[in-house]
Amino acid sequence: MNSIRTLTRRAALVVAAGAGAFLLAACGGDGGGAAHNAQDVSFAQGMIPHHRQALEMAELAEGRAASGAVKALAARVEKAQDPEIKTLTGWLEQWGEDAPESAGGMDHSAAGHSGMSGMMGGEDMAELEKAEGKAFDTKFLALMVEHHEGAVKMAALEESEGRYGPAKDMAGDIVAAQNAEIGQMNKLLGRSRG
């Protein structure tokens, strides 16, 4: 009789411990095991090539832009997005997911780019690479507004459907920073047209 009670108690403790562990996992504990979902993976895998293209565009500004404001904006894009690429890549590695390969001289016609919000095609990038001075500034600003608008859409989706806290936080930062830059770029475009 005592052994039955002992077994029953042990079984109840095992069930309670298992339920507690499940509850902690579902709430997303801290550290490497924090919960993520498919949207978090999609956000990281999509934002890496998106940011890489923004960096590629920004790097062109140093030698081609006429406006100091455009050069400063390009420098801010580089400063913000390069570290984010490293963070996003780290999350994907931590989750056991594939990170998009680094592409020096990106193929802008690559599969996936055309369907990704705000990504530039090869023709746009070629035109930007050929432009200089005020023509570069106007083209850069117009393309970067479109590019940022795409990133804001991607980040807003992560904010609403993602699960991984740090990714949702980054998405919120992207929405705030890039919306502010969109406003600045639209003002610059307005001055250059006037």
Side-chain angles (χ1 to χ4, degrees), residues 8-22:
T8 304
R9 283 185 189 146
R10 284 185 185 160
L13 285 172
V14 168
V15 168
F22 177 78

Side-chain angles (χ1 to χ4, degrees), residues 124-135:
D124 286 325
M125 289 301 293
E127 286 177 22
L128 187 63
E129 287 170 6
K130 291 175 190 166
E132 293 198 21
K134 288 186 179 183

Side-chain angles (χ1 to χ4, degrees), residues 123-145:
E123 192 175 307
D124 286 325
M125 289 301 293
E127 286 177 22
L128 187 63
E129 287 170 6
K130 291 175 190 166
E132 293 198 21
K134 288 186 179 183
F136 175 87
D137 293 351
T138 301
K139 184 78 174 165
F140 174 84
L141 291 168
L143 291 176
M144 194 60 84
V145 164

Side-chain angles (χ1 to χ4, degrees), residues 30-142:
D30 209 1
H36 68 281
N37 63 13
Q39 171 54 41
D40 298 317
V41 174
S42 177
F43 170 70
Q45 289 176 333
M47 198 56 77
I48 290 170
H50 206 274
H51 274 10
R52 283 182 183 146
Q53 187 177 63
L55 290 176
E56 192 175 335
M57 293 166 69
E59 287 166 3
L60 294 173
E62 184 59 37
R64 292 177 172 83
S67 164
V70 170
K71 288 181 182 182
L73 177 76
R76 276 200 314 277
V77 166
E78 289 184 68
K79 185 178 179 185
Q81 295 191 19
D82 193 42
E84 287 177 353
I85 290 170
K86 290 178 176 73
T87 300
L88 292 160
T89 302
W91 290 338
L92 289 168
E93 288 171 0
Q94 175 184 331
W95 300 333
E97 300 286 348
D98 292 331
E101 290 186 26
S102 180
M106 284 176 109
D107 174 8
H108 301 287
S109 61
H113 286 190
S114 58
M116 197 181 302
S117 192
M119 288 293 278
M120 301 300 110
E123 192 175 307
D124 286 325
M125 289 301 293
E127 286 177 22
L128 187 63
E129 287 170 6
K130 291 175 190 166
E132 293 198 21
K134 288 186 179 183
F136 175 87
D137 293 351
T138 301
K139 184 78 174 165
F140 174 84
L141 291 168

